[in-house]
Amino acid sequence: MNATNRRLAPLAGACLLFCLPMVAHAQLDLPLVYTNGAVLQRDQPMHVLGWSTPGSTVRATFDGKSARANAGSDGHFDIALPAHKAGGPYVLTVDNGKEHRDISDVLVGDVWLCSGQSNMEFMVLQTRDATREIANGTDPAIRHFKIPNSWAATPDEHLAGGEWAAASPATVGRFSAACWFFAREMKAKSGVAQGLINSTWGGSRIEAWMNASSAGVRAEDVAAHMKQMDADEQVKTDETRQHLARWDQTTPPGGTTWALPDLDTKDWVPINVPGYWEDQGYYGMDGTAWYRTTFTLSARQAAKGITLGLGTIDDSDTSFVNGTQVGATQARWNDIRAYRVAPGNLHAGTNTIAVKVEDLANNGGIYGDANLLYIQTYDGEKHPLKGPWLFHPDAVTVTATTGRNELATLLYNKMIHPIVGYPLRGVLWYQGEANANPREALAYREQFAGLIRQWRGEWKQPALPFVWVQLANWISGIDTADESPWAELRESQSANLALPATAEAVIIDIGNPKDIHPTNKQDVGHRLALAMRHAAFGDTATWSGPRYRNLKIDGANAIVGFDLYGGQLAVRGGGLPEGFEVAGDDQHFHPATARIEGSSIVVSNAEVGHPVAVRYGWSDNPEHANVTNEQGLPASPFRTEGAIQRSTP
């Protein structure tokens, strides 16, 4: 086996063809969430779940209280200890007469399931002001459990991995950022421990988090689809392994020596830059690889220094010129790299660039806009760097994972089903981008309702608080003057506020129009905390911005009434309300002028003599929508019934 292949490692929880269910247990076993450092839910019966020899009696003891249950014919047991107030640390003991488990450093507080796709998976180390946030991230009473990205063809009882981590500068960087900032505020308000179960996978569709019944699919059809996907991916990953086999076992691991200008590169291969390496024969490859190229300077140019533009790199880079590190960016796949190179690191003639790229998952490499790859000299002249570079993989894995996070039931089976029954205080959901497509965004309304009902039913909590983040503002490139999939999906999300114990955090004012992963997760966490305090604890403080209530027509004026949830209507930055459009009988929408009158906004357009419909913030990137309440929380985008009828085929 060559050196590169020796460093290949399997992806935790990934399976080829099928993930087989576990056999019945013959000994004491507990789900991984019941391990040292766990947080258990306060003020509810404390269920302890697990497996033991069928028919055996299992006893659990916690803070002087004990309870017992018999393991069923399948080995499952469910012990209900009395409800317990917040506190700790304690020791939870579980014993079946032959085996004994001590789970130490257990806290009692509030436990939250944080789920969804990449914006919930987005880590603290990727956020705005990450260095400061990590340095100030010490709180041993806030604990995080990351479930590995994993999937199964049928419901699996066991997680692929995971452990509880208390917040500290050494750990908090890899916490879900939205969940961390939420928990930090909830802890400050309640004073009790916060347990965060992070079950997320970037790019995942909602169907992947639902069981077969809720998703409306048959398990056998999913299995057949998986089998075909695995066969197709096997061909691609075999090609990748063949390409990797060109490096023989004498190739040493990469290090800073791979950045030296006099490195022997006879075993390096060409690769097009910019471009993902997955598209160039390295499908399914994650990990570390190196890029090299050269550029030429005159003596005067070298003496003045340069700027090295490396564009966007997925996910992290450490960049060198002539063997000296000139810049590094960690886990920021969409950040534009431009590093200043001092004269002392340059010389007249040929200079060498070496870039170590670390890909955490999915696509990897130097990609994006070729115009962002350049050498800029002292006089402002830019010399392009696109074209073939030299390439060498280092420590990499090869896995077949494409589509697993999109296929119905697969993530539920392995990342939700194994924790069903672990007592929760509520659910935080941040997902929808993957479903925000034409003809799919409207269907999300019922899908989302189905997921909420399913999870509540499985946890046997009909009013389990469920709070979600409405899609942020973003330039998707697929909306038009008449159709906006992102606006439609926001509408589908908001429709589920009709369900009890729900709330929504609106963030159309704090996203990044050019980045689907905005780094301001601090305000996202704050708005989630406001919403959850309302949904879970009945907090009467203002938790939402204004929401559309009704429409009245008065001649040429459309009068839009709002529910305010505290405070008064306001405009962000002052001035008049913007972002409104009005349509008449011809169903053609026109930009409208608007003014606030009490709890209503009067909307009109001179070309619309008799308005029948109004919409607000109706675009993927509603940049002009500026209505808020006095607390600065934004009004949610909406369209009135006439606009909805217009869009129905």
Side-chain angles (χ1 to χ4, degrees), residues 315-535:
D315 293 281
S316 304
D317 75 283
T318 307
S319 298
F320 303 82
V321 171
N322 295 326
T324 299
Q325 182 176 328
V326 297
T329 303
Q330 299 301 308
R332 301 300 288 268
W333 67 276
N334 207 33
D335 277 11
I336 297 172
R337 277 77 164 170
Y339 301 133
R340 183 66 184 165
V341 183
N345 296 328
L346 302 166
H347 54 253
T350 301
N351 295 259
T352 300
I353 300 169
V355 182
K356 179 183 179 182
V357 175
E358 181 184 7
D359 174 36
L360 303 176
N362 303 316
N363 291 327
I366 303 173
Y367 75 101
D369 187 349
N371 293 323
L372 298 176
L373 291 159
Y374 58 84
I375 296 296
Q376 184 172 355
T377 54
Y378 69 96
D379 55 4
E381 185 176 349
K382 289 184 178 180
H383 304 271
L385 287 175
K386 68 177 182 178
W389 290 36
L390 291 178
F391 181 71
H392 197 314
D394 185 8
V396 299
T397 64
V398 179
T399 53
T401 59
T402 295
R404 299 299 187 274
N405 57 353
E406 300 176 359
L407 199 58
T409 76
L410 295 192
L411 307 192
Y412 163 79
N413 289 339
K414 191 66 175 175
M415 298 178 69
I416 297 296
H417 182 75
I419 61 171
V420 167
Y422 191 83
L424 303 174
R425 191 64 187 90
V427 176
L428 303 173
W429 178 256
Y430 195 165
Q431 191 278 336
E433 295 93 337
N435 291 82
N437 303 302
R439 298 177 299 280
E440 293 183 342
L442 294 178
Y444 192 90
R445 177 181 303 207
E446 294 303 321
Q447 290 176 305
F448 193 24
L451 180 139
I452 295 171
R453 293 188 180 107
Q454 175 205 323
W455 288 14
R456 285 176 165 178
E458 293 188 320
W459 261 272
K460 299 178 182 178
Q461 293 180 251
L464 177 67
F466 210 106
V467 170
W468 59 88
V469 182
Q470 190 189 79
L471 292 189
N473 49 310
W474 182 58
I475 300 173
S476 71
I478 60 175
D479 63 337
T480 67
D482 293 325
E483 300 294 337
S484 169
W486 278 54
E488 290 177 349
L489 195 126
R490 292 186 192 110
E491 179 182 70
S492 291
Q493 291 175 309
S494 298
N496 283 284
L497 292 171
L499 297 174
T502 57
E504 178 179 68
V506 178
I507 62 167
I508 59 168
D509 58 326
I510 56 174
N512 182 341
K514 297 181 180 180
D515 189 349
I516 200 172
H517 300 110
T519 61
N520 179 6
K521 294 297 190 285
Q522 290 89 337
D523 284 327
V524 175
H526 169 64
R527 292 179 189 181
L528 281 170
L530 292 176
M532 186 59 82
R533 279 159 43 202
H534 166 76

